[in-house]
Amino acid sequence: MKTKEVLDKTIQFFRDKKMENARLEAEWLIGAGLGLDRVQLYLKFDQPLKDEEVTKLREMVKRRISGEPLAYITNSRGFYGLEFKVTPEVLIPRPETETLVEKALDYLKTLDQEVISVLDLGTGSGCIGLTLAKKDPRVKVKLVDISPGALSIAKENAQSLNVQDRCEFFESKADQFLNQTKESFDLILSNPPYIAPTDTHVEKDVKDFEPHTALFAESGTSLLKLWSQAGIAKLKAKSLMMMEMGFDQGPQMKDFYTSLGSFSKIEIIKDLSGHDRVISGEKNG
Ligand code: GLN
């Protein structure tokens, strides 16, 4: 079979299964399976495929049809213009989290020191902390996760982004790390698990395939609060704490950040869909 035939069959199959963006999905999947980008894929349309290539592609198509996210099948996801390795050990980086990163980078621009110490709690793939290190060469980042599997993916991503010399990795619960560390930080940030186990809005594919330790926290906000509270003592005199949260957790988290009594400025930041998505608290002297 030729590349074009496999692609056309896959598009048709995805359409029959009522998949949205059938063509794009098929191009990404077949391209990734053959190690080709979209342009290369089209250039190789008439190339006959080996039997084992066809078998491999068929396997990938089957996984996609079963609902497995594309990122786990291709082991890759773009985030903030960078490429991250992902496996089912880590949450797939989301566009909402780019909002957090963007605001963090804006804050870093206001600092004029030579070294900026950053702490990323529950780092998963490393997409938050590593993106900051990649975009600002002054950043030294500590990345903490309870999952050894996640940390090894984050380490691989640090290597492939070539920021490993400015990264340190810690296998720990976030609050334990905060209670033990002697260091204080210019910026503490996180995308913690913030979905209540009783939440009925979680999409099936997310629930079926993504790591539950990265998604669910008792009452939704329990870890947001625990980590923020433990982090307060580890912030420098002038510093920022930022956390991603659920779209309906803004008012509650704003009250909580106010009750911590350390921030001179507290903000709720909306994501691109207009939902409350990030809580931030700034210390200023
Ligand atoms: N934004 C993710 C989702 O809705 C949740 C991520 C998280 O709990 N940190 O699937």
Side-chain angles (χ1 to χ4, degrees), residues 90-248:
V90 301
L91 195 75
I92 299 167
R94 310 268 203 278
E96 301 92 279
T97 308
E98 292 179 333
T99 300
L100 173 79
V101 166
E102 191 173 0
K103 292 290 165 185
L105 285 169
D106 285 347
Y107 178 72
L108 297 186
K109 282 190 203 125
T110 69
L111 304 178
D112 60 5
Q113 60 222 56
E114 277 171 25
V115 175
I116 299 172
S117 53
V118 174
L119 177 61
D120 177 3
L121 300 169
T123 190
S125 64
C127 66
I128 298 172
L130 299 178
T131 301
L132 297 184
K134 186 71 188 174
K135 300 285 173 185
D136 191 326
R138 301 171 298 166
V139 165
K140 286 208 158 101
V141 59
K142 290 191 159 60
L143 305 110
V144 179
D145 207 288
I146 192 176
S147 153
L151 274 183
S152 77
I153 299 296
K155 283 179 194 167
E156 281 189 52
N157 283 323
Q159 295 274 351
S160 65
L161 294 169
N162 198 23
V163 293
Q164 70 278 13
D165 296 348
R166 288 181 285 120
C167 297
E168 279 183 81
F169 298 87
F170 300 87
E171 185 187 325
S172 172
K173 283 189 170 182
D175 50 309
Q176 274 172 12
F177 176 86
L178 285 164
N179 292 334
Q180 281 160 15
T181 185
K182 301 270 182 290
E183 193 175 343
S184 51
F185 298 89
D186 297 295
L187 173 63
I188 296 180
L189 75 181
S190 177
N191 174 17
Y194 57 70
I195 302 175
T198 50
D199 193 327
T200 50
H201 299 101
V202 189
E203 282 175 36
K204 189 175 182 312
D205 297 354
V206 172
K207 207 170 181 168
D208 285 353
F209 291 97
E210 300 205 60
H212 285 197
T213 41
L215 291 168
F216 296 106
E218 201 187 310
S219 83
T221 52
S222 55
L223 294 178
L224 269 163
K225 290 179 179 171
L226 182 68
W227 297 3
S228 299
Q229 181 140 34
I232 281 283
K234 306 300 154 90
L235 284 169
K236 290 190 184 171
K238 178 177 160 37
S239 58
L240 184 73
M241 182 183 285
M242 301 178 91
M243 300 211 175
E244 185 173 322
M245 63 182 174
F247 71 95
D248 55 354

Side-chain angles (χ1 to χ4, degrees), residues 4-105:
K4 183 170 172 10
E5 289 169 69
V6 174
L7 182 65
D8 287 344
K9 276 195 170 174
T10 307
I11 294 169
Q12 197 48 53
F13 188 45
F14 283 176
R15 280 189 183 140
D16 293 346
K17 297 280 175 190
K18 308 273 176 267
M19 192 185 275
E20 280 176 48
N21 305 317
R23 171 174 287 277
L24 261 182
E25 288 257 7
E27 286 171 351
W28 281 328
L29 195 73
I30 303 298
L34 298 173
L36 303 171
D37 65 28
R38 254 178 103 201
V39 176
Q40 292 167 329
L41 184 69
Y42 277 82
L43 290 175
K44 301 222 166 149
F45 254 12
D46 290 324
Q47 186 170 299
L49 294 173
K50 298 190 195 101
D51 285 349
E52 58 264 33
E53 284 177 319
V54 176
T55 310
K56 178 183 169 189
L57 293 175
R58 196 169 284 142
E59 212 44 54
M60 291 172 83
V61 168
K62 240 196 252 165
R63 287 170 66 186
R64 187 69 192 103
I65 284 298
S66 82
E68 185 169 352
L70 187 70
Y72 288 150
I73 305 173
T74 61
N75 288 130
S76 166
R77 177 61 146 230
F79 178 81
Y80 216 86
L82 304 170
E83 214 46 54
F84 284 83
K85 176 171 178 179
V86 293
T87 70
E89 305 268 16
V90 301
L91 195 75
I92 299 167
R94 310 268 203 278
E96 301 92 279
T97 308
E98 292 179 333
T99 300
L100 173 79
V101 166
E102 191 173 0
K103 292 290 165 185
L105 285 169

